[in-house]
Amino acid sequence: MNIKRFDLNLLVTFDVLMRERSVSRAAAELALTQPAVSNALNRLRSVLDDPLLVRTRAGMEPTERALELIAPVQNALRELDSCLTAKPRFNPAEGRQRFVIGASDYVALMLLPALLQRINALAPSVEVQIKNLGPDNPEVELETGRFDFALGRFFQVSNRLVSQVWSEEPMVCLVRENHPQVKQRLSLKQYLRLEHARVSINNDRVGKTDQWLKDHGNQRKVTAIIPNYTTAAMVVAETDLALVVPKRLALRVCQLLPLKSVPLPIELGNFTVEMLWHPRHASSPAHNWFREQLLAVAECID
């Protein structure tokens, strides 16, 4: 017998027939018609080359072949039922897994310290790996499993991915601590007189700052285009350039470098970081648990 051609539904019918030893009662339990159950019994008889149930004075009784099959069939059905109905679990204290996050340097700087402290406390055997985001949306990386998550600013998100806001915060202007032209506040006129650094991976894309200025009939002088925030902050600390950065990043780098932040004289709205993942992880307890940790960390970052 070729198991690939065997209708596994017949095993369910066999199990009920062996317990009920009656086509009518088996049909009632299976919510089928008696002809349907009779047809299934005939198919079983043909496949197994055995009558399986025979009439006796005491009613329908299983053959020796049927008696041999009862226990193996019941065990197989129980295993299959357990496999299909059991919900997978993830125990953080015992889990050994690596999660790969595609992230910008800003996200890595703000996320990693708090995330690693949290993971080490809850799941000491879980490993976190950060990979750089490129200029394009990471749909391929998420689809192929190179990334478990992507955290960054995405200008167009594929509907084949799941997205959620990870963090939002205002923007500020970052300058060196003893900047000769910047005190505690900036007017728009003063802001436009400064020379600026701009963070951009894709030099062709106009950022929010320059778009706002253009929409209001103004233009700033961008002296340097730098691919990440950490390098840009170090450059600003040693020059008279100004840099627009998220407020929480400004607080962090001002603790590390001779820098200060001042409010912007323009309305840019919030700096929003999105978290992306692929929907194939929807039923993964480990993936869902890690996503909860990422969201929890976003809430507690200073």
Side-chain angles (χ1 to χ4, degrees):
M1 180 179 64
N2 188 342
I3 189 66
K4 293 181 179 178
R5 297 180 181 177
F6 184 79
D7 183 355
L8 295 179
N9 289 314
L10 294 177
L11 295 181
V12 177
T13 304
F14 174 85
D15 179 50
V16 176
L17 281 168
M18 292 302 108
R19 284 190 279 106
E20 296 295 338
R21 306 203 178 170
S22 163
V23 170
S24 60
R25 290 197 298 273
E29 181 172 335
L30 292 166
L32 298 173
T33 64
Q34 288 190 38
V37 175
S38 293
N39 178 58
L41 177 58
N42 288 332
R43 289 171 64 194
L44 281 164
R45 284 168 169 166
S46 175
V47 169
L48 298 173
D49 193 23
D50 189 272
L52 300 176
L53 280 175
V54 294
R55 292 188 180 278
T56 69
R57 291 183 180 181
M60 299 289 282
E61 293 290 336
T63 64
E64 289 187 12
R65 174 65 170 148
L67 289 171
E68 292 173 353
L69 290 172
I70 289 174
V73 168
Q74 288 179 343
N75 290 338
L77 291 174
R78 275 196 297 268
E79 285 288 327
L80 186 59
D81 182 68
S82 175
C83 177
L84 294 175
T85 59
K87 293 184 178 180
R89 296 181 180 180
F90 176 70
N91 183 349
E94 299 177 358
R96 301 182 65 86
Q97 193 160 342
R98 172 187 293 179
F99 293 96
V100 180
I101 306 170
S104 64
D105 71 308
Y106 158 75
V107 171
L109 179 63
M110 303 305 297
L111 168 71
L112 267 182
L115 178 64
L116 292 179
Q117 287 181 10
R118 188 178 185 89
I119 296 300
N120 287 338
L122 298 175
S125 295
V126 165
E127 181 180 336
V128 179
Q129 181 178 5
I130 300 290
K131 290 188 176 181
N132 287 330
L133 281 175
D136 300 319
N137 285 341
E139 181 178 353
V140 173
E141 288 84 353
L142 291 165
E143 193 172 68
T144 58
R146 287 178 57 199
F147 293 171
D148 293 297
F149 296 93
L151 289 169
R153 303 182 73 199
F154 306 106
F155 296 91
Q156 188 174 6
V157 177
S158 167
N159 58 13
R160 290 186 291 273
L161 300 175
V162 185
S163 67
Q164 182 174 353
V165 172
W166 184 70
S167 71
E168 288 185 297
E169 59 186 298
M171 306 289 282
V172 297
C173 181
L174 192 69
V175 294
R176 70 181 177 94
E177 202 167 45
N178 297 316
H179 196 288
Q181 296 171 262
V182 181
K183 304 308 179 184
Q184 300 304 315
R185 295 203 169 271
L186 273 174
S187 67
L188 178 57
K189 186 179 292 187
Q190 289 172 321
Y191 181 76
L192 293 174
R193 282 202 296 261
L194 298 173
E195 294 189 13
H196 298 264
R198 181 164 76 91
V199 172
S200 176
I201 298 176
N202 187 340
N203 295 341
D204 297 330
R205 182 174 288 144
V206 177
K208 289 180 68 173
T209 304
D210 294 294
Q211 188 62 56
W212 190 96
L213 291 171
K214 181 180 179 181
D215 292 343
H216 290 78
N218 292 300
Q219 185 177 1
R220 63 178 180 165
K221 181 180 180 182
V222 177
T223 303
I225 299 175
I226 302 170
N228 60 70
Y229 280 104
T230 49
T231 301
M234 295 176 71
V235 170
V236 168
E238 298 187 25
T239 66
D240 287 341
L241 296 178
L243 176 68
V244 175
V245 298
K247 184 176 181 178
R248 289 192 293 191
L249 176 64
L251 292 173
R252 182 69 58 86
V253 296
C254 285
Q255 295 172 349
L256 304 172
L257 296 167
L259 294 163
K260 66 181 179 181
S261 69
V262 296
L264 281 166
I266 57 180
E267 296 291 335
L268 292 183
N270 281 337
F271 181 91
T272 301
V273 175
E274 287 183 275
M275 176 168 61
L276 307 182
W277 67 94
H278 198 276
R280 64 189 176 89
H281 296 297
S283 61
S284 166
H287 196 274
N288 291 336
W289 175 84
F290 194 78
R291 185 166 73 247
E292 291 173 0
Q293 308 316 305
L294 290 173
L295 292 172
V297 166
E299 292 179 0
C300 68
I301 293 175
D302 296 326

